[in-house]
Amino acid sequence: MTKYEKNWLAKGYVDEPIPEGIDLVAEIRSMCAAKNAVILAHYYTDAAVQDIADFVGDSLALAQKAAATDADIIVMCGVHFMGETNKILCPDKKVLVLDLGAGCSLADSCDADDLQRFMADHPSHKVVSYVNTTAAVKALSDVVVTSSNAQKVIESFGKDEKIIFGPDKNLGQYICSVTGREMLLWNGGCHVHARFSLEGILQLKRLHPAAKILAHPECPTPIQRVADVVASTAGLLRYAKESNAGEFIVATESGILHKMREECPDKTFIPAPPELTEAVGCSCNECAFMKLNSLPKLYNTLKYEWPTIEISPAIIEKAAKPIQRMLELSKESSSQVER
Ligand code: 13P
Ligand code: SF4
């Protein structure tokens, strides 16, 4: 390993200076063409990252796109578990992320060893894992779900089947309520969605009585209850496009507002406020991990083809099965926005 690579590893990304005066967007696009690379981005990334991507989507659509691509390199602008999902689906391709530090508090809330111990205590239960998990957790699971297809996947199980669902407790409770099933829920959560303020949302609703409230199922149950729709990011975008309403209060990470405003230029989107905190300048409805993706990092990642996602072949083999099972079960559930 060169001293440069050691330095990058310590930072988690390539921090070489960007040559002065270059057209970053044009250079990135030309490297993509030369290297046969595809850029995938999640709705929560910055507008500039979404705008340069070949494809922007929710976690299900991103996995579907990765599984179908004929590119040699997949550049995942999102968080680490999304890069891992792509690598598991495409083990022979080079999968790049922009910053190894772009993790996920929800994925961190479920450690594979803890899950294995819990499974040992409940040997007759099937394990359904949200896609926001590490590859090691997926490798222990019977099937993976995203917020787009969780209901459909759970309904594919026999009524008497016992299920451990994790790690997002709020999504789990939502799925229990819409399917009428009981499941053993892991007590994990996303720090962004957990912080939305119910009082703040109701206050906004009083100011904008005609506005529809859109909530991601990772929001706490009281927020889901006041929402007009609870859906994945792609589902919320679809609802906003199809609705006759002109105003929307959006209780999910605020990056999605970029695509909502682009797709519905005549409608108004108001980000739901987070709980008040002591922190000065806190944007708690932003996922700090997603915001680690930037155009300079994208440029360097493509140029140096680093950081790569590396997963052991044994874990890939085990984790591929529950992801493929999910993709089979959600063949109709594609939700995508192409450039
Ligand atoms: P989606 O499945 O809607 O893309 O959600 C992913 C996510 O990380 C939500 O916090
Ligand atoms: Fe993870 Fe929450 Fe960020 Fe989604 S918003 S990637 S669940 S930390």
Side-chain angles (χ1 to χ4, degrees), residues 186-295:
W186 195 264
N187 190 17
C190 157
H191 71 295
V192 178
H193 289 84
R195 283 212 195 119
F196 285 115
S197 159
L198 177 62
E199 188 41 49
I201 290 171
L202 294 176
Q203 222 169 329
L204 275 177
K205 178 76 180 173
R206 284 193 284 277
L207 289 171
H208 304 268
K212 298 285 185 196
I213 300 176
L214 315 182
H216 196 278
E218 287 172 23
C219 290
T221 305
I223 292 180
Q224 295 178 18
R225 289 220 178 99
V226 300
D228 294 283
V229 60
V230 176
S232 75
T233 44
L236 298 180
L237 180 61
R238 197 177 321 117
Y239 179 91
K241 276 159 71 178
E242 291 169 2
S243 168
N244 292 329
E247 283 183 309
F248 302 87
I249 298 163
V250 185
T252 191
E253 210 274 356
S254 56
I256 184 80
L257 271 74
H258 171 62
K259 200 54 82 183
M260 287 177 165
R261 288 172 178 147
E262 190 177 272
E263 302 243 331
C264 314
D266 301 330
K267 299 182 178 178
T268 304
F269 296 94
I270 308 160
E275 295 284 0
L276 285 180
T277 75
E278 303 281 293
V280 179
C282 168
S283 292
C284 300
N285 58 1
E286 285 193 354
C287 174
F289 301 119
M290 287 283 184
K291 299 317 187 218
L292 289 175
N293 293 274
S294 66
L295 287 192

Side-chain angles (χ1 to χ4, degrees), residues 42 44 58-59 81-82 130 132 146-147 193 216 218 232-233:
H42 191 269
Y44 293 166
D58 69 354
S59 16
F81 77 80
M82 294 176 176
Y130 194 26
N132 298 40
T146 75
S147 50
H193 289 84
H216 196 278
E218 287 172 23
S232 75
T233 44

Side-chain angles (χ1 to χ4, degrees), residues 5-81:
E5 284 168 333
K6 268 194 195 145
N7 182 29
W8 298 343
L9 195 57
K11 299 211 160 159
Y13 61 93
V14 181
D15 69 339
E16 298 301 312
I18 304 294
E20 258 178 58
I22 64 161
D23 178 342
L24 211 45
V25 171
E27 290 292 334
I28 290 170
R29 291 303 332 161
S30 108
M31 274 193 283
C32 265
K35 294 179 183 230
N36 189 25
V38 65
I39 303 175
L40 308 182
H42 191 269
Y43 291 123
Y44 293 166
T45 54
D46 275 338
V49 174
Q50 293 188 42
D51 288 348
I52 202 170
D54 294 288
F55 178 77
V56 184
D58 69 354
S59 16
L60 174 61
L62 291 167
Q64 288 168 325
K65 198 71 183 174
T69 189
D70 55 9
D72 295 316
I73 299 178
I74 300 172
V75 189
M76 184 64 238
C77 304
V79 290
H80 196 263
F81 77 80

Side-chain angles (χ1 to χ4, degrees), residues 64-129:
Q64 288 168 325
K65 198 71 183 174
T69 189
D70 55 9
D72 295 316
I73 299 178
I74 300 172
V75 189
M76 184 64 238
C77 304
V79 290
H80 196 263
F81 77 80
M82 294 176 176
E84 281 193 337
T85 304
N86 295 346
K87 184 68 184 176
I88 293 163
L89 287 168
C90 311
D92 299 331
K93 294 189 191 295
K94 189 175 266 190
V95 177
L96 302 169
V97 290
L98 309 201
D99 189 327
L100 291 171
C104 168
S105 59
L106 181 49
D108 288 347
S109 67
C110 185
D111 175 76
D113 290 339
D114 293 341
L115 177 61
Q116 202 154 23
R117 277 189 285 274
F118 193 68
M119 288 165 66
D121 290 341
H122 303 89
S124 56
H125 284 63
K126 296 279 190 243
V127 178
V128 179
S129 290

